[in-house]
Amino acid sequence: MILKFLRVLKIARVAIRYGLDDIAMSNLAFPRVVWLIDKLTFWRDISAPRGERLRRALEDLGPIFVKFGQVLSTRRDLMPADIADELARLQDRVPPFDSDLAIAQITKSLGAHPNELFASFEREPVASASIAQVHFATLKNGKEVAVKVLRPGMKKSIDEDVALMHIAAGWVEKLWADGKRLKPKEVVGEFDKYLHDELDLMREAANGSQLRRNFADSDLLLVPEMFWDYCSSSVIVMERMRGIPISQIDRLIAEGVDVKKLSRDGVVIFFTQVFRDGFFHADMHPGNILVSIEPETFGRYIALDFGIVGTLNDFDKDYLSQNFLAFFQRDYKRVAEAHIESGWAPKETRIDELESAVRACCEPIFDRPLKDISFGQVLLRLFQTSRRFNVEVQPQLVLLQKTLLNIEGLGRQLDPELDLWKTAKPYLETWMEGQIGWRGLLERMKIEAPHYVQLLPQLPRLVHQALTHAIDRPSQEQNDLMKRLLDEQRRTNVLLAISLGIVACLLAGYAVARFLPNWHFHPF
């Protein structure tokens, strides 16, 4: 209890030193309280911009608060731009912990000392962050690996600091005039889940393994192999990857890497993850991306650190593709309709009002060449406009928007002339075709076929059972059962008719191709 009280005092002291009370008081709901606090904290320093003061305060409060600031920087749909920009500069750089502690953690988790597990183990870490640090090693079969070790005592530290954040979120919601709109409790809850997910390194290993499998046949992206015999919730061992950090553009050019192609490849990788797999690396900042210069994999991206991934279902992908295509065709009415049809906006929302708001927000974007338009900014504007109409932006879409901004920034740093729309449009159109065209219908029929194969033989028995026991059932229950059976039979009949029609078309096409090879159609 005393330690918690001391922690609260430190937070208050740091907040006042950097004038964070001034930021909060600008929107405080009680003017007299504002006046009183202002008089009592006359010694605070408020000379620097508010975003910079907030960033420096979070850095002073430690790694958990730094991570919280990083998460806040992704919520540009909630944060003012100047604060979000400054928080994006937060670096998760923490001094490494003692190597003896890392060795003890490995020994406890994997049941043997590193000297027994590995042919060689480097005591000095090569990278250190708030959650874990990395050591290089060599397996006994000669493979070079990277060993990621969880920082000891992290769960207790996280639980204590997050508990304080939950309390602070409640105060912000009650005292700050704009508190409810910013949803501080929801943001802290999201951060709490994100941090506890990161504490389980097996989850990160599984994410990396999934991404590696998705790109097994790709010549664009390399993902390290996980060595499962050496993985646990607090230690994971993966293939050591060699490459140049993508931020070191001069080195890449000196090695002969085509940076313009590299920028296009980054966009292709991202949209492949989103629209093909629905599973994307959601922490693609420059520190997590290398470029291979090995002869057999020259110029390929290397992805690292899989603690944060995003997943999208077909509903999310349909939402994104429809909105992106409608945006770039300036069809704002279709954007509004898509919001209401998908359930993002309440049914009672007036289409013309939402259309007008979207037009006012996004039309200025299109006063520039398409190659200069930011997908991330378009999505951000959409989220900001949507909130005015009580649209709840889903966490996976916020992750997507943050990742999209990272990819755009990276791509245009490599090639200022990169045209994201030209690169992305084929993926959006392919997805739409797969959803609403014949190919989409066939794919869905293949998915549903096992269900109907099992159901069709049972229908006569189910109808017989319903008729046999109908006399013993209340009339309403009987009606409901018969209605469900008839609806199911009707859906089955429709699917059967469509299937037979498709088979007939395919047979007819085959007959024409087989028996009339020299016949040609001549239009009038």
Side-chain angles (χ1 to χ4, degrees):
M1 190 68 180
I2 295 174
L3 290 175
K4 286 185 180 179
F5 179 70
L6 292 175
R7 184 64 170 154
V8 170
L9 284 181
K10 180 180 179 181
I11 292 171
R13 178 171 55 81
V14 170
I16 293 173
R17 183 203 310 164
Y18 289 105
L20 301 190
D21 55 313
D22 182 64
I23 298 173
M25 288 190 304
S26 63
N27 277 323
L28 207 60
F30 306 101
R32 290 185 180 179
V33 176
V34 173
W35 177 86
L36 179 61
I37 294 176
D38 190 50
K39 294 299 181 185
L40 293 175
T41 58
F42 60 90
W43 47 273
R44 67 190 187 281
D45 178 15
I46 56 173
S47 57
R50 61 179 185 174
E52 181 184 336
R53 285 185 277 133
L54 179 58
R55 174 178 60 78
R56 290 166 59 194
L58 293 174
E59 288 171 342
D60 272 13
L61 289 172
I64 306 305
F65 283 84
V66 166
K67 275 200 166 290
F68 184 57
Q70 290 175 326
V71 171
L72 278 181
S73 73
T74 70
R75 297 304 306 265
R76 289 175 177 266
D77 56 319
L78 298 176
M79 305 294 297
D82 63 317
I83 291 180
D85 288 342
E86 194 65 39
L87 293 182
R89 296 179 57 196
L90 282 166
Q91 298 295 313
D92 190 14
R93 287 195 294 260
V94 180
F97 56 89
D98 195 307
S99 295
D100 288 334
L101 291 176
I103 290 171
Q105 183 84 290
I106 294 169
T107 304
K108 179 181 176 183
S109 298
L110 302 183
H113 193 279
N115 291 343
E116 299 174 33
L117 294 168
F118 307 108
S120 64
F121 178 82
E122 296 183 13
R123 286 182 57 89
E124 291 303 312
V126 293
S128 177
S130 56
I131 297 294
Q133 69 185 30
V134 177
H135 297 255
F136 285 151
T138 305
L139 296 180
K140 291 184 176 179
N141 62 9
K143 289 188 176 180
E144 294 183 320
V145 295
V147 183
K148 189 168 186 177
V149 187
L150 192 69
R151 190 174 284 268
M154 281 307 300
K155 188 177 186 307
K156 183 173 182 292
S157 176
I158 286 172
D159 287 343
E160 290 174 354
D161 278 352
V162 171
L164 295 176
M165 289 179 188
H166 278 291
I167 294 170
W171 290 347
V172 168
E173 198 166 276
K174 290 177 182 177
L175 298 176
W176 209 11
D178 213 19
K180 288 186 178 179
R181 184 189 69 80
L182 294 177
K183 300 189 175 182
K185 289 182 179 177
E186 177 188 302
V187 172
V188 173
E190 185 181 317
F191 175 65
D192 192 354
K193 178 182 179 302
Y194 153 74
L195 266 186
H196 281 88
D197 283 352
E198 271 206 300
L199 286 177
D200 184 0
L201 295 187
M202 281 294 281
R203 182 187 293 267
E204 177 179 342
N207 291 339
S209 181
Q210 175 72 56
L211 192 64
R212 177 182 170 85
R213 187 162 61 253
N214 290 349
F215 283 84
D217 300 322
S218 170
D219 59 355
L220 299 179
L221 179 66
L222 298 171
V223 180
E225 178 186 358
M226 298 293 164
F227 297 98
W228 294 107
D229 290 342
Y230 302 89
C231 291
S232 71
S233 59
S234 55
V235 176
I236 57 174
V237 176
M238 69 191 82
E239 177 185 2
R240 179 176 175 178
M241 307 302 284
R242 298 179 183 275
I244 297 175
I246 198 165
S247 56
Q248 298 180 13
I249 298 174
D250 290 341
R251 279 188 65 193
L252 292 173
I253 294 173
E255 291 288 345
V257 175
D258 184 345
V259 293
K260 290 191 175 184
K261 179 181 182 298
L262 198 63
S263 68
R264 294 193 300 273
D265 288 349
V267 178
V268 169
I269 290 168
F270 174 73
F271 281 101
T272 301
Q273 291 180 62
V274 170
F275 287 103
R276 187 193 70 183
D277 305 327
F279 183 92
F280 62 94
H281 191 308
D283 198 18
M284 295 188 74
H285 61 75
N288 287 339
I289 302 174
L290 306 177
V291 179
S292 174
I293 55 171
E294 300 295 318
E296 63 275 13
T297 57
F298 187 81
R300 293 191 200 178
Y301 278 86
I302 300 172
L304 302 173
D305 196 341
F306 314 101
I308 311 173
V309 298
T311 56
L312 301 173
N313 56 30
D314 285 350
F315 184 86
D316 298 325
K317 289 188 275 189
D318 183 59
Y319 165 88
L320 288 167
S321 57
Q322 287 201 45
N323 276 285
F324 274 140
L325 287 170
F327 260 117
F328 283 93
Q329 292 163 0
R330 302 199 190 191
D331 186 354
Y332 301 121
K333 184 178 181 181
R334 181 64 201 133
V335 174
E337 289 172 344
H339 269 68
I340 296 169
E341 288 169 4
S342 64
W344 292 116
K347 289 183 179 178
E348 62 273 13
T349 304
R350 286 184 52 177
I351 291 178
D352 60 330
E353 289 184 356
L354 183 53
E355 177 190 358
S356 177
V358 172
R359 179 184 295 108
C361 199
C362 296
E363 189 65 20
I365 294 175
F366 292 101
D367 283 341
R368 63 189 75 175
L370 277 177
K371 67 180 180 64
D372 296 334
I373 293 174
S374 163
F375 265 51
Q377 288 298 332
V378 166
L379 203 54
L380 174 59
R381 293 286 187 97
L382 179 61
F383 291 166
Q384 290 172 332
T385 302
S386 298
R387 282 200 175 275
R388 291 172 45 197
F389 292 86
N390 298 316
V391 175
E392 292 293 329
V393 179
Q394 301 300 304
Q396 69 271 21
L397 294 183
V398 173
L399 267 181
L400 180 91
Q401 182 258 334
K402 167 238 184 185
T403 308
L404 193 47
L405 283 172
N406 284 345
I407 293 296
E408 285 183 323
L410 209 57
R412 287 186 170 140
Q413 187 179 358
L414 294 167
D415 178 14
E417 298 300 311
L418 175 67
D419 189 337
L420 270 91
W421 173 238
K422 183 178 178 182
T423 309
K425 189 179 179 184
Y427 287 86
L428 301 175
E429 291 177 335
T430 300
W431 165 252
M432 291 297 292
E433 180 189 343
Q435 287 298 102
I436 63 178
W438 281 103
R439 192 177 68 183
L441 175 62
L442 290 171
E443 287 298 321
R444 284 192 290 277
M445 283 177 60
K446 281 195 290 187
I447 293 170
E448 293 292 336
H451 170 71
Y452 285 109
V453 166
Q454 290 182 344
L455 180 66
L456 281 170
Q458 298 177 38
L459 274 179
R461 178 173 54 82
L462 292 172
V463 172
H464 179 265
Q465 286 178 354
L467 293 173
T468 302
H469 299 291
I471 195 167
D472 300 324
R473 296 175 181 273
S475 59
Q476 184 60 46
E477 188 177 350
Q478 175 187 345
N479 291 337
D480 289 345
L481 176 62
M482 291 303 296
K483 183 176 183 301
R484 288 199 300 272
L485 287 170
L486 288 171
D487 287 345
E488 191 65 48
Q489 190 173 25
R490 201 173 293 117
R491 282 195 295 271
T492 305
N493 290 342
V494 169
L495 184 66
L496 210 54
I498 292 172
S499 302
L500 291 172
I502 290 171
V503 171
C505 289
L506 292 173
L507 289 173
Y510 174 77
V512 170
R514 176 71 177 82
F515 299 109
L516 299 175
N518 298 318
W519 182 82
H520 299 280
F521 174 72
H522 298 282
F524 292 92

